[in-house]
Amino acid sequence: MNTIVDGSSLLITGGTGSFGRAFVKHLLTQTRVRRLVVFSRDELKQSEMAQELAALDGGRLRFFLGDVRDHDRLEMALSGVDFVVHAAALKQVPAAEYNPMECIRTNVIGAENVTRASIRCGVKRVVALSTDKAVNPANLYGASKLAADKVFIAAHHLVGARDTRFAVVRYGNVIGSRGSLVPLVQKLLRDNAESIPITDFRMTRFWITLSEGVGFTLSSLEMMCGGEIFTPIIPSMKVTDVVSCLAPSIPQREIGIRPGEKLHETLISSDDARCCIRLKDRFVVVPPWHLDRVQQLWPEASPVPADFAYTSDSNDWWLSPANF
């Protein structure tokens, strides 16, 4: 199947993370990408990734040590690059609460550096990965990602006559990603824990697999016109049910919500409903400059209700222990 990246050069920031590794492997096996640049600051992970993917490389894979905080280094790495996927971020909620400026320097200033360097280097399309925590944020991590989303959308006002376009992809919790619930429970099982801690038994979350996140990001890169926020239609599940699937014989204990943690997650707020459309497999928050030609760009689009909000507790698609 032909893809937009065939014959092109693509760079991914934060490329040694869970998403980055899956995304790079997908491109090497499922596309004819000409050159694939992994930009990250961890040389050990880069070395391990190079060894892991050596058989798939075919001379296409490049590793570039650098930090999104460093604009000059980014600009050097982006020379000759056609597409960018921006996945680099500080993501741990408690760490961000206690180290706010470090989070801001990477997530917000880093986002600005990616946009500026992409424009200067003539990159064609840039997709940034966001999070459900960016909607009505209750913690610094979410607030920093909201700011990053705004930076990417506002970058269109800086492009001028250049062809660089920016969009945002926003989805929920990735099953099995590093630092997420599933590896935590698996570790507790290995450690023979007597119980599994749950912050609140009422808690719900959106869920998406790593491969689904990769496919959704690539399809959003294909269909973007510039300025959109793409959100997949994905299921919800109670956190207690997820834990029951992983550790059915171990009791759960409620320990209380942590600072900055939400009871339920939101992917699209009611404030965005007026400029949100629904496609077959996703919602799209449309920027003001595309609102008057929605049907031209997406003929199958339908508007969402005026009071629409996409939240994990009011979702109409649920997973249960039987189909998780």
Side-chain angles (χ1 to χ4, degrees), residues 203-235:
M203 190 170 286
T204 64
R205 291 292 184 264
F206 288 105
W207 298 94
I208 188 171
T209 67
L210 199 52
S211 61
E212 288 170 341
V214 167
F216 185 78
T217 300
L218 189 56
S219 67
S220 297
L221 185 69
E222 294 258 9
M223 70 183 297
M224 62 178 283
C225 299
E228 305 93 344
I229 299 176
F230 294 99
T231 296
I233 296 174
I234 52 178

Side-chain angles (χ1 to χ4, degrees), residues 91 93 131-139 141-142 170-174 199 202-207 231 234-239 257-258 260-269 309-315 318:
K91 302 174 182 177
V93 171
T131 169
D132 45 29
K133 295 173 180 61
V135 184
N136 298 331
N139 51 62
Y141 167 58
R170 179 186 291 159
Y171 50 71
N173 295 267
V174 178
T199 55
R202 299 167 295 170
M203 190 170 286
T204 64
R205 291 292 184 264
F206 288 105
W207 298 94
T231 296
I234 52 178
S236 295
M237 192 172 185
K238 293 183 66 175
V239 171
I257 291 182
R258 298 173 296 179
E261 192 173 32
K262 284 185 174 182
L263 191 59
H264 308 292
E265 295 284 16
T266 303
L267 280 170
I268 299 173
S269 70
Y310 193 31
T311 64
S312 61
D313 60 323
S314 64
N315 195 3
W318 285 82

